[in-house]
Amino acid sequence: MSPTVTRRRLLEASGSAGIVALAGCISGDDEDGSDGDGGSDNSSDDENSTDVGGDTDGEDGDDGGDGGSEARLSWHAGGTSGTYYPLSNEIKTVVEDATDYTLTVQSTGASVENVGSLSQGNADFALIQNDIASFAVNGTGIEAFQGNAIESLRGVATLYPETITVVTLAENDISSLSDLSGATINTGDLGSGTQVNALQILETVGISDFEEQNASFSQASDQLANGDIDAAFVVGGWPVGAIEDLATSHDIEIVPIDGENREAIMEDAEWFAEDTIPGGTYGGVDSDVETIAVQAMIATHADVSADTVETVTAAIFDNLDELSIKTDFISVDSAQDGMSIDLHEGAAAYFDV
């Protein structure tokens, strides 16, 4: 298809998968909230991008939310080739070493799906994007959230920038956003945070003539390698494994989001911030690349006890030296930067805010 991207279409496209996924969560059960999918990555792939909340590891959420006798907590992450999943497993180790809790880390479609899991009580904690969190709580931004605000969603801490990376192959002669006109673009999984961000960006810069493909980061990498797409949007903390892998076998180019384009995008969507991908992050890309970012954050829900949230938060932020991923960004001092929703009382107690 060659869509004309309007704001209405942006909401419809990003919400279409979410509406299907939300059917079981919303219909007749408004008190449980709603849901969705997507964000940092989804190499657990398509079944997770549209089937959310109620089916993924539901039993793990039952015992953990109130610090039950088995002290089991369910932590929903993202796809295995992004940043959420390996970081979540490092957090699992830290929390289990410092507390009596056991964390079960679930690979998911990330942000929107994770909101659904939290709203259903099938996850106790999850990683999500700060823009998706704001959409969910305010019932805006994505059609799946329209009129279905997730009032139970609570913030714990922000972690690091989730960089918007537009990747292509050098042979495709795409060096600016304007070159995406007429291209075949993977905008991320249907309903994902990545797709939302991609369509926002394309609309703002006036790219309306393109063919949209929807797949996970790892699949997008294969599509680029095979010549099936011209470019892909990836949202995640750099370096993203799928892009690193692609750069080992192909000459890649990271398309900058800079200048007037960046100013317009940030004016149109306030949750975006300036970001830079340092030269050398990916093989063959030696110079810094200017772009934008949203913020990765830890979220929970109101039914998780204050003691549980404070204990888990303390375990993480008292032991940051045990982490190896995104450590240049994660700190107690910055843990409320970009927090877009109300803080859980347990996190507020730890951060004394």
Side-chain angles (χ1 to χ4, degrees):
M1 63 180 174
S2 296
T4 298
V5 183
T6 63
R7 185 162 301 280
R8 176 176 174 79
R9 183 197 174 279
L10 186 155
L11 299 177
E12 290 174 347
S14 60
S16 59
I19 290 295
V20 174
L22 286 169
C25 299
I26 297 176
S27 301
D29 290 307
D30 290 344
E31 70 275 11
D32 290 330
S34 72
D35 103 278
D37 135 347
S40 190
D41 181 28
N42 176 20
S43 57
S44 54
D45 286 338
D46 297 334
E47 69 272 19
N48 280 332
S49 65
T50 57
D51 183 20
V52 299
D55 295 329
T56 51
D57 241 23
E59 70 276 15
D60 294 316
D62 296 339
D63 294 329
D66 60 359
S69 58
E70 295 183 56
R72 290 189 298 136
L73 298 172
S74 181
W75 183 292
H76 285 201
T80 55
S81 65
T83 305
Y84 282 10
Y85 189 74
L87 176 58
S88 294
N89 277 288
E90 287 198 352
I91 290 172
K92 167 186 169 72
T93 299
V94 167
V95 171
E96 290 182 348
D97 285 348
T99 74
D100 292 330
Y101 288 112
T102 298
L103 262 62
T104 299
V105 174
Q106 174 72 37
S107 174
T108 72
S111 291
V112 187
E113 179 179 336
N114 290 352
V115 170
S117 297
L118 290 168
S119 73
Q120 287 286 92
N122 294 323
D124 301 297
F125 296 89
L127 297 185
I128 61 178
Q129 293 175 199
N130 65 340
D131 58 328
I132 300 302
S134 179
F135 291 156
V137 167
N138 292 296
T140 60
I142 300 175
E143 189 175 349
F145 295 145
Q146 298 287 341
N148 295 293
I150 314 302
E151 296 179 358
S152 63
L153 192 65
R154 297 290 185 271
V156 176
T158 55
L159 298 175
Y160 61 88
E162 291 230 69
T163 305
I164 313 295
T165 305
V166 185
V167 61
T168 184
L169 299 186
E171 64 192 48
N172 292 337
D173 294 326
I174 296 173
S175 57
S176 68
L177 291 180
S178 62
D179 294 331
L180 294 174
S181 183
T184 300
I185 307 169
N186 190 316
T187 61
D189 279 311
L190 278 171
S192 69
T194 299
Q195 189 195 28
V196 172
N197 296 151
L199 294 180
Q200 287 168 335
I201 291 165
L202 291 169
E203 178 186 13
T204 298
V205 301
I207 304 298
S208 59
D209 177 21
F210 65 93
E211 181 176 341
E212 183 178 9
Q213 296 290 320
N214 301 104
S216 71
F217 295 175
S218 57
Q219 290 173 311
S221 177
D222 291 339
Q223 289 177 321
L224 280 168
N226 295 332
D228 297 327
I229 61 173
D230 300 306
F233 280 78
V234 178
V235 180
W238 47 260
V240 175
I243 302 178
E244 285 186 305
D245 292 343
L246 181 65
T248 64
S249 57
H250 294 76
D251 292 332
I252 69 166
E253 183 164 345
I254 305 299
V255 181
I257 301 176
D258 56 6
E260 293 182 358
N261 281 337
R262 180 158 70 175
E263 291 178 9
I265 293 165
M266 290 174 59
E267 182 176 345
D268 195 43
E270 60 184 337
W271 49 83
F272 287 126
E274 293 183 358
D275 198 11
T276 301
I277 302 171
T281 299
Y282 300 110
V285 183
D286 298 327
S287 299
D288 292 353
V289 180
E290 299 303 310
T291 185
I292 55 177
V294 290
Q295 191 87 346
M297 60 178 282
I298 303 171
T300 185
H301 60 85
D303 290 338
V304 181
S305 74
D307 285 345
T308 296
V309 174
E310 184 174 4
T311 298
V312 170
T313 304
I316 297 168
F317 284 88
D318 288 351
N319 296 283
L320 291 176
D321 58 342
E322 300 297 319
L323 301 179
S324 67
I325 297 172
K326 311 310 292 184
T327 53
D328 289 345
F329 301 99
I330 303 173
S331 72
V332 172
D333 290 341
S334 65
Q336 299 308 309
D337 292 351
M339 178 57 66
S340 57
I341 60 176
D342 288 344
L343 208 58
H344 191 286
E345 59 181 323
Y350 174 79
F351 292 111
D352 193 24
V353 295

